[in-house]
Amino acid sequence: MKKLVIMLTVPVLVSFGLLLWVYQINLAQGFGGDNTLVVYNWGDYIDEDLIGEFEEETGLKVIYQTFDSNEAMLTKIEQGGTAFDIAVPSDYAISKMIEEDLLLPIDYDKLENFDNIDPRFLDKSFDPGNTYSVPYFWGTVGIVYNPELVDGDITSWNDLWDMPLENDILLADGTREVMGFGLNSLGYSLNTTDKDELLEAEKKLETLWPNIKAIVGDEIKMLMANREAAAAVVWSGDASEIMYENEELTYVIPEEGTNLWFDNLVIPNTSKNVEGAHQFIDFMLDAEIAARNTDYVGYSTPNEAALEFLDEEVTSDERFYPSKDVTDELEVYENLGKRMNAYYNELYLRFKMQSK
Amino acid sequence: MKPKKFKLANLYLLVVFFILYAPILYLVVYSFNSGGTMSNFEGFTLDWYKSLFTDTRLLVIVLNTIVIALLSATISTVLGVIGALAIYTARQRFTKTSLLSLNNVLIVSPDVIIGASFLILFTMLGIQLGFYSVLLAHIAFSVPIVVILVLPKLQEMSPTLIDASRDLGASTWDVLTKVILPYITPGIFAGFFTALTYSLDDFAVTFFVTGNGFTTLAVEVYSRARQGISLEINALSAILFLFTLILVLGYYVLAQRGAKAKEVRR
């Protein structure tokens, strides 16, 4: 009996000792009831030094968590088990979250640095008037290719069909992306709901199969860097990472037009520290901070004031910072509704099934 | 022929153990690699362990994991013993078997499903995910294990022991604390340590119920591995393995001493 009592009390005492230790560590680091801020971001999508600086500046403590897909993030926030104060969804996920009432409106009186954002990245169809979201990073969908393996320059989507690229193209596996460039190559909008146009695009994509090596996910970066294929359809953010790995590659925004995408900062309605969330957004909007973050992440920043703190070589690169004329022509994905999305998926699946 | 057979059995055992332990050994060896990858060994270094120990966030996670394991094992041992006693003393055969079956179903049902149902339950009840949700979930999946480990000891016990103590004038409390509990102590210990290790390395259930910055080592190792394999994970796994080893040895020593004490008494 004595042994049992000891066995049951010792663990409890040890646990309380350890809990006290944890409490002290947290106290020493400034964690406590109300002064925390839970940030939910993509993996490796912020310069973590900035979090420390934000904590120092505001006295808030940031609990930083990461996700790897919009869908995973949506599920966690919908569940509501965790009080996230900041999240970073992409455009289509934002419109979904607005529809499902998962977001709190942004109070622009609290954002001193909001004017730093280039107006051309505001008021998009996924969040009209930017009621709920503030741009964090943006980019395009385009073609990354290896000039040494391709004769001449790729400039348009149709070059994927016309140039001698047999079994040499990789596609990023995304319904909207693949269907989108099929539509764009025919001169149609990538938000079209016209079934004839969609069918035509799918038929045209099928004729691309002899050139397609594979439809892949994240491994596309490694494959391109290792010269496994001559060209690939990717997001510009991936393209810049690939080009960082292998400098001989280049990226092009096809002349027929393409998709313009955004990852925006939002405040989920689970937030318990709305004030702190605004402070965080305002901090990230600061020109110098945004510039350092952009430098680390390598994607394109919508922060106009930050551009002057960045390397001239980066900001003058038309591939990643195209002029207003170019971006005005690009299209943001619109929420097509459940039925149209299903139709897109069906056509995309049919296209995939035609593989040799 | 006999000696040869013996050798073959030994060899077989050796091969099996080698297969089981080789990956762990491989992992531990590379945690001392000064090169950044698992592909080739460049030299000995303790850097990965150093960077682990300077990481206060990780320290907090390790402490949390241990606290959860200790508390959930203790509480589920108490609950499990009570449960086993209830099943043991159930009068009707039907109640007994149905209680036992319900207990066994919980043991064999997949962790993923247990985790998902806990997530749904907690969010429905409005319980914030974090320390308490993890603790509750761990207690819940440990209790059936304790029950199943304690019950055989109870069944092994001769009912005449209880009758005898009753005849000698023992109250119910006396019977429980002076006869039954001492007799089933080895089972209780086994239950406690099994619950402890279950809690330490559970990933599937814990993954669903962590949140608000509270996380355990198993979940942390998984999410770190996803962001690209770093040798810090090797170091972490090596420490975790060592810790489990110490636990097992501790249990072994306690069991040995218990057995010896019994022999002496006899």
Side-chain angles (χ1 to χ4, degrees):
Chain A
M1 192 62 198
K2 212 197 232 162
K3 236 200 287 185
L4 277 181
V5 172
I6 291 171
M7 189 202 83
L8 294 178
T9 45
V10 167
V12 174
L13 290 178
V14 172
S15 310
F16 281 115
L18 294 179
L19 277 179
L20 212 68
W21 191 8
V22 170
Y23 178 74
Q24 263 174 351
I25 292 174
N26 284 345
L27 214 63
Q29 294 195 326
F31 279 100
D34 291 336
N35 64 346
T36 55
L37 190 73
V38 188
V39 177
Y40 205 28
N41 197 356
W42 296 81
D44 209 17
Y45 210 32
I46 196 171
D47 181 351
E48 296 212 12
D49 292 346
L50 295 177
I51 296 178
E53 275 171 50
F54 173 73
E55 290 178 332
E56 246 168 61
E57 196 173 289
T58 57
L60 289 169
K61 279 288 145 186
V62 174
I63 299 171
Y64 190 73
Q65 289 183 276
T66 57
F67 57 85
D68 63 352
S69 76
N70 278 303
E71 285 65 32
M73 180 264 320
L74 267 169
T75 325
K76 268 274 186 186
I77 288 179
E78 255 169 316
Q79 271 297 338
T82 303
F84 294 111
D85 296 305
I86 292 275
V88 193
S90 307
D91 36 39
Y92 72 94
I94 294 171
S95 59
K96 220 180 208 172
M97 292 173 90
I98 294 173
E99 232 168 61
E100 290 171 22
D101 235 359
L102 293 174
L103 300 180
L104 295 178
I106 307 268
D107 181 356
Y108 283 97
D109 294 338
K110 290 178 181 160
L111 300 184
E112 287 171 19
N113 297 323
F114 184 71
D115 295 338
N116 289 344
I117 298 282
D118 190 332
R120 69 171 144 148
F121 301 118
L122 297 175
D123 198 19
K124 296 295 178 193
S125 60
F126 58 84
D127 179 19
N130 284 74
T131 319
Y132 297 98
S133 73
V134 175
Y136 183 59
F137 282 109
W138 65 279
T140 53
V141 173
I143 304 167
V144 64
Y145 69 99
N146 191 332
E148 287 180 24
L149 301 176
V150 178
D151 295 329
D153 293 335
I154 292 177
T155 55
S156 74
W157 290 120
N158 279 305
D159 285 340
L160 294 178
W161 277 268
D162 300 339
M163 305 219 350
L165 285 166
E166 201 176 328
N167 198 21
D168 235 355
I169 299 173
L170 295 173
L171 302 183
D173 191 4
T175 305
R176 293 297 295 269
E177 284 68 31
V178 174
M179 287 306 291
F181 88 75
L183 288 163
N184 280 148
S185 74
L186 291 162
Y188 300 142
S189 160
L190 49 72
N191 289 316
T192 189
T193 51
D194 182 329
K195 293 199 171 177
D196 292 333
E197 290 182 2
L198 276 162
L199 276 172
E200 201 185 330
E202 192 261 334
K203 280 272 166 305
K204 183 168 184 190
L205 281 169
E206 279 177 19
T207 63
L208 186 63
W209 267 114
N211 287 359
I212 299 172
K213 192 183 180 85
I215 298 180
V216 286
D218 275 340
E219 58 276 34
I220 211 166
K221 295 183 206 164
M222 188 194 74
L223 291 171
M224 283 310 290
N226 292 341
R227 302 177 62 134
E228 294 281 341
V233 176
V234 293
W235 291 273
S236 58
D238 286 351
S240 77
E241 277 178 48
I242 297 168
M243 287 159 64
Y244 183 77
E245 292 277 320
N246 186 341
E247 288 183 355
E248 65 193 29
L249 295 165
T250 184
Y251 176 79
V252 61
I253 299 170
E255 56 197 19
E256 297 102 330
T258 185
N259 164 239
L260 179 71
W261 57 258
F262 289 91
D263 290 331
N264 284 14
L265 299 164
V266 299
I267 306 175
N269 63 0
T270 52
S271 171
K272 289 209 169 150
N273 191 352
V274 181
E275 184 67 38
H278 281 93
Q279 280 179 299
F280 185 81
I281 295 175
D282 202 40
F283 177 81
M284 293 314 292
L285 286 174
D286 177 84
E288 214 173 319
I289 299 292
R292 281 172 51 200
N293 198 30
T294 309
D295 204 33
Y296 175 88
V297 175
Y299 283 33
S300 308
T301 179
N303 196 315
E304 202 173 14
L307 295 180
E308 59 181 284
F309 293 101
L310 285 164
D311 207 337
E312 171 77 26
E313 205 181 312
V314 174
T315 55
S316 63
D317 190 338
E318 289 268 326
R319 295 173 297 186
F320 297 106
Y321 288 97
S323 64
K324 190 172 172 352
D325 297 340
V326 176
T327 53
D328 280 351
E329 295 297 313
L330 303 182
E331 293 176 279
V332 176
Y333 289 138
E334 274 162 32
N335 192 356
L336 301 168
K338 259 189 187 151
R339 291 196 96 149
M340 211 57 215
N341 269 329
Y343 191 63
Y344 266 77
N345 282 329
E346 194 184 307
L347 288 179
Y348 179 56
L349 199 65
R350 204 159 84 188
F351 155 69
K352 284 217 274 191
M353 285 193 300
Q354 299 298 319
S355 90
K356 34 199 171 166
Chain B
M1 283 313 280
K2 231 181 179 179
K4 205 180 177 193
K5 225 179 185 176
F6 181 64
K7 255 187 184 166
L8 209 70
N10 264 356
L11 191 73
Y12 172 74
L13 210 64
L14 214 70
V15 169
V16 168
F17 270 105
F18 180 74
I19 292 172
L20 289 177
Y21 277 87
I24 299 174
L25 206 73
Y26 181 72
L27 188 128
V28 172
V29 166
Y30 272 96
S31 69
F32 297 107
N33 183 10
S34 63
T37 63
M38 291 266 286
S39 48
N40 48 355
F41 198 89
E42 284 171 19
F44 181 85
T45 178
L46 284 175
D47 284 358
W48 305 113
Y49 288 88
K50 260 183 230 152
S51 69
L52 260 189
F53 284 111
T54 48
D55 193 344
T56 44
R57 194 177 101 85
L58 202 77
L59 178 67
V60 168
I61 292 172
V62 172
L63 293 178
N64 282 339
T65 312
I66 297 174
V67 168
I68 289 282
L70 286 174
L71 283 183
S72 71
T74 312
I75 297 171
S76 51
T77 304
V78 174
L79 293 176
V81 169
I82 294 172
L85 282 171
I87 293 178
Y88 177 69
T89 51
R91 291 251 171 81
Q92 272 163 331
R93 203 180 161 73
F94 176 75
T95 356
K96 206 175 212 169
T97 44
S98 34
L99 278 176
L100 196 59
S101 316
L102 284 176
N103 184 64
N104 290 354
V105 165
L106 279 180
I107 293 180
V108 291
S109 53
D111 279 0
V112 181
I113 291 178
I114 295 182
S117 19
F118 270 118
L119 177 62
I120 294 165
L121 177 73
F122 289 144
T123 44
M124 240 170 52
L125 296 178
I127 297 175
Q128 279 273 317
L129 296 184
F131 180 80
Y132 292 106
S133 63
V134 175
L135 183 65
L136 279 173
H138 279 214
I139 290 171
F141 71 67
S142 300
V143 168
I145 298 163
V146 177
V147 170
I148 209 83
L149 286 166
V150 170
L151 206 54
K153 277 275 153 203
L154 278 171
Q155 277 155 354
E156 193 182 275
M157 184 173 67
S158 160
T160 49
L161 259 179
I162 298 173
D163 295 339
S165 52
R166 283 250 184 246
D167 288 346
L168 291 170
S171 65
T172 315
W173 179 247
D174 284 335
V175 173
L176 183 70
T177 56
K178 297 213 165 103
V179 181
I180 301 179
L181 285 182
Y183 193 87
I184 61 172
T185 299
I188 298 176
F189 269 97
F192 175 78
F193 279 100
T194 317
L196 199 63
T197 46
Y198 260 64
S199 163
L200 272 182
D201 59 26
D202 177 78
F203 168 74
V205 176
T206 318
F207 173 74
F208 285 97
V209 292
T210 46
N212 289 318
F214 183 90
T215 181
T216 68
L217 210 45
V219 176
E220 176 71 9
V221 168
Y222 179 74
S223 63
R224 280 192 184 210
R226 217 167 31 174
Q227 281 169 6
I229 295 146
S230 149
L231 291 185
E232 249 178 67
I233 294 171
N234 288 33
L236 196 58
S237 313
I239 291 173
L240 205 62
F241 177 68
L242 198 73
F243 191 73
T244 323
L245 208 67
I246 291 171
L247 271 184
V248 173
L249 285 178
Y251 171 62
Y252 181 74
V253 168
L254 277 176
Q256 283 291 91
R257 273 173 65 192
K260 258 187 203 153
K262 230 181 206 173
E263 260 167 42
V264 169
R265 241 180 277 151
R266 269 178 198 164

